[in-house]
Amino acid sequence: GQQLNQSPQSMFIQEGEDVSMNCTSSSIFNTWLWYKQEPGEGPVLLIALYKAGELTSNGRLTAQFGITRKDSFLNISASIPSDVGIYFCAGQRNTDKLIFGTGTRLQVFP
Amino acid sequence: EADIYQTPRYLVIGTGKKITLECSQTMGHDKMYWYQQDPGMELHLIHYSYGVNSTEKGDLSSESTVSRIRTEHFPLTLESARPSHTSQYLCASSKSGGPEYEQYFGPGTRLTVT
């Protein structure tokens, strides 16, 4: 079935560093979303993107909807320890249900 | 803040047992969902409901069943649990008339079948 590939799979960074991750698909999506999941919890919606080329920020987080509509990017600036978690992208086509990516596991060291 | 609850949080049971995972939300959302997630892996939709007496199967085939008799309650049942059912089960809901992707998730139930 449909799959969204995220990279990198894991990141180990030092506090204060910037982080970049991406999500790619072989299909076009109309909406791209980024969620964060902390251990033992459900995912929490961070950013929603609605059209190609769109750039949206939420605090230190910035996400972009790729021009081809087949990819999306998430950047975290000046990382802090509470950024630790798994970041999932998710895509939606028309009225289809959400399809989640494979996740990027972020670890931040002080 | 999301008001969606799942019980139990952790469950270890033997093969062949019948179990029901509970999910309740107090936000009055019409749409509710069940996802299955192996640790650290992507979420797969197994069931969803658009309102009372409405249930549909998701993209991932599952031997579980669901019911929606009340708006706030969306339980998931396994008639005969097997080790292959070991996973995390996440419940979510989204507001009526709003974007379906604005899903609020519960904390999940981690199920282990021995």
Side-chain angles (χ1 to χ4, degrees), chain B residues 3-4 23-30 32 68 71-72 93:
Chain B
D3 294 317
I4 181 163
C23 176
S24 295
Q25 50 94 5
T26 59
M27 298 172 283
H29 289 174
D30 278 344
M32 296 189 74
R68 190 86 183 277
T71 298
E72 63 271 21
S93 69

Side-chain angles (χ1 to χ4, degrees), chain B residues 26-46:
Chain B
T26 59
M27 298 172 283
H29 289 174
D30 278 344
K31 299 175 184 176
M32 296 189 74
Y33 315 83
W34 276 104
Y35 290 86
Q36 185 173 339
Q37 181 188 31
D38 290 331
M41 304 296 286
E42 64 261 52
L43 283 71
H44 294 284
L45 182 68
I46 52 175

Side-chain angles (χ1 to χ4, degrees), chain B residues 56-75:
Chain B
E56 301 285 346
K57 290 189 179 294
D59 301 324
L60 181 67
S61 175
S62 174
E63 293 168 342
S64 58
T65 59
V66 292
S67 62
R68 190 86 183 277
I69 299 173
R70 303 197 317 264
T71 298
E72 63 271 21
H73 194 213
F74 191 39

Side-chain angles (χ1 to χ4, degrees), chain A residues 5-107:
Chain A
N5 296 307
Q6 285 187 243
S7 65
Q9 277 191 315
S10 300
M11 300 185 75
F12 299 87
I13 64 169
Q14 204 144 25
E15 183 176 1
E17 289 184 9
D18 296 344
V19 173
S20 291
M21 61 188 78
N22 66 66
C23 184
T24 60
S25 171
S26 57
S27 299
I28 289 173
F29 285 88
N30 293 331
T31 303
W32 283 99
L33 310 153
W34 286 92
Y35 285 82
K36 178 188 177 187
Q37 185 176 27
E38 296 184 18
E41 300 296 331
V44 174
L45 180 62
L46 300 173
I47 294 179
L49 301 159
Y50 305 101
K51 58 182 182 181
E54 179 181 357
L55 190 71
T56 297
S57 293
N58 178 5
R60 292 178 297 103
L61 277 62
T62 301
Q64 184 162 24
F65 194 139
I67 290 292
T68 65
R69 296 168 64 194
K70 294 182 179 180
D71 55 12
S72 179
F73 310 88
L74 176 70
N75 295 314
I76 305 173
S77 62
S79 59
I80 58 178
S82 62
D83 290 334
V84 166
I86 303 178
Y87 291 80
F88 289 99
C89 64
Q92 186 178 28
R93 297 184 297 166
N94 299 322
T95 59
D96 289 350
K97 302 295 164 284
L98 285 183
I99 298 170
F100 281 82
T102 49
T104 293
R105 183 174 280 101
L106 178 64
Q107 187 66 257

